[in-house]
Amino acid sequence: MYLDADARKCTGCRVCLTICSLYHFKEVNPKKAALSIDAKFPKPGKYEPLICNQCGICASVCPVEAISENNGVYIIDPDKCNGCGECVKECPTQVMFLHEDSPVPIKCDLCKECIPVCAPGVLFVKE
Amino acid sequence: MDIGTPPSNREELIMFGYAGKTLRVDISDGKVSTEPLSDRLIRDYIGGRGFAARILYDELKPGISPLGPDNKIVVASGPLAGLFLPAGGKLTFASKSPATNSYGDSNVGGHLAAEIKYAGYDVIIIEGVSSKPVYLYINNDKVEIRNAHKYWGKGTITSEDIIKNDLGREFEIAVIGPAGENKVKFACISHDFGRQAGRTGIGAVMGSKNLKAIAVKGSKSLKPADPDKLLSIGKKAFADCIKHPAWKIWLEQGTAGVTVWSNEQGSFPTRNFQSGYFEDYKKISGEVMVKETIVNNKACFGCPMACGKYARTNKNGKDYYVEGPEYETSAMIGGDCAIGNIRDLTYANYICDELGIDTISGGSVAAFAMECYEKGILTKQDTGGVELKFGDIKAFEHIMNLICRREGLGNILAEGVKTASEKIGKGSEKFAMQVKGLEISGYESRKAPAMLLSYMTCDIGAHHNRAWAIIHDIQAGRDVIAGKSKKVIELQHIRPLFDMLGCCRLQWVELELSLDYYPQLMNAAIGKNYTMDELLKASERVWNLTRLFLIREYEKTFGRHFDYPPTRVYENGVISGPTAGSKIKKEDIERLLDEYYQRRGWDKNGRPTPEKLKELGL
């Protein structure tokens, strides 16, 4: 089970990024969100949402075994994580983020908060 | 009138909702400083255009040249910009306008307002003039004036792309084109490949300072006073927007959806406002765009409507990408210059965007020149051999290039229709469609007195965004004069409030998002207890302050004639369409103004009374 996107519908508004940071960190900052949007302008004029597909590579590369799977969702244990950034480096979709405010990388926990506020209906859960 | 002394320990306090700081940059010598926002500025002026009006009123000496070294540019967002709510992405650019020689502002959507706040600033004040082309580089606390030689001379779309390649695609850019560099008085500031701070010629002010662009990247957080409340109110507001029946058509067609309606109402400016109905409107409608040109829906920051329609057209075997046309572009170039073909109109939009010309004023200037040509006031000798006919895309492109280069006739037209008509003469002043020096935007309003009054009294010149009152004309009776000022004033306080808060008004206007949300969102963000009435009072304060700015600039000559519409409105009837034959009597114009001034607490000459100023704390 993971978050998926119909990229053709994305309008690049970034509301998913704002709600992600507000829900998890109680503050608004798109750079502290567990997804991002690549804007391809002026040509061809498309947006590409980059989102975690819960592939688990982060868990397999973590040197301190801080990332574990629960019902198909990979979660970082902040008590075990040493912030080395190996998972961020190895993430194939580049959707794990380091931010100076956060001792552990920022990663999608499939909270699904972003789905209902995405007006054009880009985001959905894939079983 | 000082704006209050900031508490000395403010830097250490957490500022909720706001970023908390003003960045001041003197581009003459590269001096950069920051100042904390003062409590009084926040309390009385809220943000955005409120901040800008107060700062410019206090810091600009009367009588300075808008394109000289003493003018300043204020870039300001508001408390709601960059937060979680529908469309918190509005940024105000303000300056002494070269179009009106008075207070001018223009807002832009996209992602720049949010990014500036994430970089740590609510306001940027740009002063001085650089001796060579530069751009302002902001990466959080790192602020530098950098050489822009490489970008100078290039179009806005081209240079935004190159700057992003040079600095990183995550930078948000505001940039001027050749029109701004050459100080065309309706040059715009572009952002995000298709969003513009279009009006009042602030692109020319940037050009006069040799400032090509502003590039911003920020990674700081905005801290709401009550994050849980902001989350829950914001979610509810998004749900309300999405479930509105009009939401789908807005997502599909954006503002271009208004084109058909406007023609049915006879309010679509056509051939320099000779008519309110364009016979080819169905060929440039939103529906046609969906079928032929739109490649993607493009939203500003946090917007559920995504009224930006990113489009592609082909000209002479080459593809051109541009955002639009929006309704205003369809009206002012489509109708007003009679370009009745969506592919040509999209290309015309591209030309203006790349050159950095406001499509509203640019369309009006081209339409004015075309009417002069039609009437024989201008001839081929003036136009460089080109037949400057309505409906001719080649003629439109030619005249835009002349204007942008300030070449021949273009040098006269680059001043805007007011000054151009004074220079050209031969009766052309009567159809120079402007108020206070700013060209009228996309609504023919001879049979819409409230809309006409909105244009007449708009504080930056004839712009629709302060009071889109045509709906009220349709509801209350299109020939009714009495009582129209009440709605106009109400709208002139509500609508500019969005430009103070830093968010878009269209969710309220088009999706009927309740106004109750805004004080709630504001209070959750900044931790205060504002009521809507208090916010509207602040908006009225700003409206009176910008009026004081106008009066101060024109002290000796100021009077109610500053609020008069062009002669065409009462001398010529609309020539075709649903409003054919309509004109408005001169005495009705005086009645509209009398009632408006009285209701506002202004005297018969349109000056705020001492009592009104006292009431507003001015």
Side-chain angles (χ1 to χ4, degrees):
Chain A
M1 199 163 64
Y2 60 92
L3 192 63
D4 204 355
D6 182 350
R8 290 168 308 171
K9 292 182 182 170
C10 182
T11 62
C13 81
R14 305 202 291 170
V15 67
C16 47
L17 280 67
T18 59
I19 196 170
C20 185
S21 61
L22 181 58
Y23 182 75
H24 291 98
F25 293 98
K26 309 267 182 202
E27 53 192 41
V28 182
N29 186 345
K31 303 236 167 37
K32 290 172 78 171
L35 69 173
S36 74
I37 297 172
D38 192 5
K40 298 175 186 301
F41 286 82
K43 293 176 193 174
K46 304 270 181 192
Y47 296 99
E48 189 189 346
L50 303 174
I51 43 185
C52 173
N53 60 8
Q54 308 294 345
C55 70
I57 287 175
C58 50
S60 68
V61 301
C62 177
V64 293
E65 296 183 355
I67 305 176
S68 58
E69 186 244 308
N70 185 6
N71 283 332
V73 181
Y74 288 83
I75 306 286
I76 304 172
D77 182 342
D79 294 333
K80 288 187 188 166
C81 175
N82 64 4
C84 71
E86 197 60 26
C87 54
V88 175
K89 213 164 64 189
E90 296 298 327
C91 175
T93 38
Q94 295 185 308
V95 287
M96 293 182 71
F97 304 93
L98 289 169
H99 191 280
E100 57 187 10
D101 291 352
S102 176
V104 300
I106 298 162
K107 183 194 173 300
C108 177
D109 62 0
L110 202 64
C111 71
K112 303 175 197 169
E113 285 287 312
C114 51
I115 296 174
V117 294
C118 173
V122 178
L123 301 169
F124 59 96
V125 171
K126 195 151 184 179
E127 297 294 335
Chain B
M1 294 188 194
D2 77 292
I3 53 173
T5 312
S8 57
N9 62 344
R10 171 56 65 71
E11 292 277 18
E12 292 148 30
L13 298 175
I14 292 176
M15 192 96 160
F16 293 119
Y18 294 93
K21 268 190 295 193
T22 295
L23 174 69
R24 189 181 290 271
V25 182
D26 187 333
I27 58 170
S28 312
D29 56 10
K31 189 173 169 249
V32 172
S33 61
T34 61
E35 305 153 20
L37 283 181
S38 85
D39 286 337
R40 190 174 153 206
L41 194 61
I42 290 173
R43 189 192 68 198
D44 293 344
Y45 296 94
I46 311 296
R49 112 178 185 99
F51 284 178
R54 185 74 251 181
I55 292 167
L56 290 173
Y57 190 89
D58 289 342
E59 297 193 11
L60 295 188
K61 286 198 187 96
I64 61 155
S65 163
L67 299 177
D70 296 329
N71 201 3
K72 301 185 184 189
I73 300 170
V74 176
V75 187
S77 73
L80 296 187
L83 292 179
F84 170 70
L85 60 121
K90 281 287 190 182
L91 184 69
T92 292
F93 280 83
S95 202
K96 182 171 179 182
S97 161
T100 65
N101 276 302
S102 182
Y103 172 81
D105 71 28
S106 192
N107 72 72
V108 63
H111 298 263
L112 190 59
E115 201 68 22
I116 291 173
K117 279 184 82 173
Y118 301 140
Y121 313 102
D122 302 290
V123 182
I124 303 170
I125 302 172
I126 300 163
E127 308 175 338
V129 55
S130 168
S131 57
K132 58 179 196 299
V134 290
Y135 72 99
L136 176 59
Y137 172 94
I138 302 172
N139 184 351
N140 289 320
D141 300 332
K142 188 175 175 185
V143 179
E144 294 171 357
I145 311 293
R146 293 187 170 184
N147 191 316
H149 180 72
K150 179 180 172 186
Y151 314 119
W152 200 256
K154 291 191 167 60
T156 72
I157 299 168
T158 305
S159 44
E160 180 168 5
D161 193 31
I162 304 173
I163 295 170
K164 276 177 169 265
N165 279 341
D166 289 349
L167 301 182
R169 302 300 296 187
E170 68 278 21
F171 273 80
E172 298 294 347
I173 316 292
V175 62
I176 59 166
E181 294 170 13
N182 294 330
K183 304 181 235 346
V184 172
K185 290 189 175 171
F186 41 94
C188 65
I189 301 166
S190 291
H191 160 59
D192 195 26
F193 304 105
R195 290 276 139 192
Q196 283 87 19
R199 306 238 64 198
T200 71
I202 303 173
V205 182
M206 273 181 72
S208 74
K209 295 185 176 307
N210 268 320
L211 180 63
K212 176 69 177 177
I214 304 170
V216 187
K217 180 178 155 184
S219 62
K220 297 181 187 183
S221 295
L222 296 172
K223 297 182 196 309
D226 190 338
D228 294 337
K229 209 168 188 176
L230 182 66
L231 184 66
S232 67
I233 301 170
K235 278 158 84 166
K236 208 160 154 280
F238 273 102
D240 281 1
C241 287
I242 297 166
K243 76 181 179 207
H244 192 278
W247 169 75
K248 192 167 175 289
I249 190 84
W250 271 88
L251 183 68
E252 188 183 288
Q253 298 186 16
T255 58
V258 179
T259 298
V260 169
W261 174 87
S262 184
N263 278 280
E264 288 167 355
Q265 299 300 329
S267 64
F268 198 68
T270 300
R271 293 183 176 81
N272 197 33
F273 288 84
Q274 293 179 67
S275 180
Y277 176 83
F278 183 39
E279 64 283 1
D280 285 334
Y281 75 91
K282 284 183 182 162
K283 296 180 190 166
I284 56 168
S285 68
E287 265 176 48
V288 170
M289 287 170 63
V290 171
K291 279 189 205 129
E292 292 194 25
T293 55
I294 296 173
V295 295
N296 203 22
N297 300 324
K298 182 165 174 283
C300 296
F301 182 84
C303 178
M305 291 163 82
C307 75
K309 301 299 134 202
Y310 203 70
R312 180 180 57 219
T313 190
N314 191 284
K315 193 84 187 162
N316 304 325
K318 195 180 163 199
D319 277 343
Y320 293 91
Y321 288 78
V322 68
E323 184 177 331
E326 289 197 52
Y327 169 77
E328 284 296 329
T329 307
S330 302
M332 298 310 296
I333 300 177
D336 221 31
C337 298
I339 307 287
N341 165 320
I342 194 60
R343 298 202 167 268
D344 284 349
L345 178 57
T346 308
Y347 179 65
N349 196 162
Y350 169 83
I351 294 166
C352 290
D353 282 13
E354 183 70 343
L355 294 176
I357 286 175
D358 171 29
T359 55
I360 297 175
S361 285
S364 186
V365 168
F368 166 80
M370 286 169 174
E371 184 167 353
C372 285
Y373 187 82
E374 192 176 70
K375 289 186 158 55
I377 296 171
L378 292 175
T379 66
K380 272 190 185 177
Q381 276 186 323
D382 303 301
T383 64
V386 169
E387 289 206 64
L388 197 54
K389 284 185 174 169
F390 281 113
D392 187 335
I393 182 67
K394 278 188 187 155
F396 180 87
E397 183 171 12
H398 174 72
I399 207 72
M400 284 301 135
N401 279 314
L402 286 188
I403 289 169
C404 185
R405 294 196 297 265
R406 279 187 170 273
E407 194 178 303
L409 176 63
N411 194 36
I412 295 169
L413 296 174
E415 297 293 304
V417 295
K418 181 170 186 279
T419 305
S421 70
E422 285 161 9
K423 286 185 178 164
I424 292 167
K426 298 180 183 169
S428 65
E429 301 94 328
K430 293 188 172 189
F431 54 84
M433 302 305 287
Q434 56 79 33
V435 182
K436 299 182 183 70
L438 188 74
E439 289 75 15
I440 300 176
S441 58
Y443 294 91
E444 157 50 47
S445 47
R446 270 166 282 190
K447 204 176 169 62
M451 191 69 227
L452 182 65
L453 182 63
S454 301
Y455 280 132
M456 288 158 58
T457 57
C458 176
D459 63 342
I460 55 166
H463 194 36
H464 61 282
N465 80 338
R466 302 290 202 252
W468 191 64
I470 188 165
I471 289 285
H472 178 63
D473 285 307
I474 291 164
Q475 287 164 351
R478 296 189 65 164
D479 295 316
V480 174
I481 300 290
K484 286 282 168 80
S485 67
K486 185 165 184 263
K487 190 69 179 181
V488 170
I489 293 168
E490 183 189 314
L491 288 170
Q492 284 177 341
H493 295 163
I494 297 173
R495 293 173 64 103
L497 176 60
F498 290 91
D499 301 330
M500 294 159 69
L501 294 171
C503 60
C504 183
R505 66 182 68 79
L506 281 188
Q507 292 65 36
W508 164 67
V509 178
E510 303 295 348
L511 304 182
E512 299 176 90
L513 187 64
S514 171
L515 280 182
D516 295 341
Y517 274 114
Y518 294 93
Q520 286 182 47
L521 287 163
M522 166 115 174
N523 293 333
I526 73 167
K528 296 272 165 72
N529 292 299
Y530 279 94
T531 62
M532 195 61 190
D533 283 346
E534 286 168 329
L535 293 175
L536 291 173
K537 204 68 187 168
S539 189
E540 185 183 5
R541 182 175 300 117
V542 176
W543 195 269
N544 279 266
L545 184 62
T546 56
R547 189 71 173 183
L548 293 180
F549 196 117
L550 178 70
I551 294 168
R552 188 171 74 172
E553 290 297 334
Y554 289 97
E555 191 51 54
K556 285 177 191 141
T557 55
F558 187 80
R560 59 195 283 143
H561 59 282
F562 273 73
D563 295 327
Y564 285 162
T567 312
R568 163 152 290 166
V569 171
Y570 48 89
E571 281 196 355
N572 308 134
V574 176
I575 62 168
S576 61
T579 50
S582 299
K583 56 181 165 182
I584 191 156
K585 291 183 203 132
K586 188 80 197 309
E587 61 258 38
D588 283 342
I589 288 167
E590 302 294 357
R591 273 173 69 202
L592 283 167
L593 280 181
D594 283 337
E595 193 188 286
Y596 176 88
Y597 292 160
Q598 195 185 10
R599 234 183 255 278
R600 274 216 169 276
W602 294 359
D603 69 16
K604 278 192 181 327
N605 290 313
R607 293 170 187 257
T609 58
E611 299 78 51
K612 175 50 79 175
L613 295 179
K614 196 178 167 204
E615 176 200 317
L616 294 169
L618 286 168

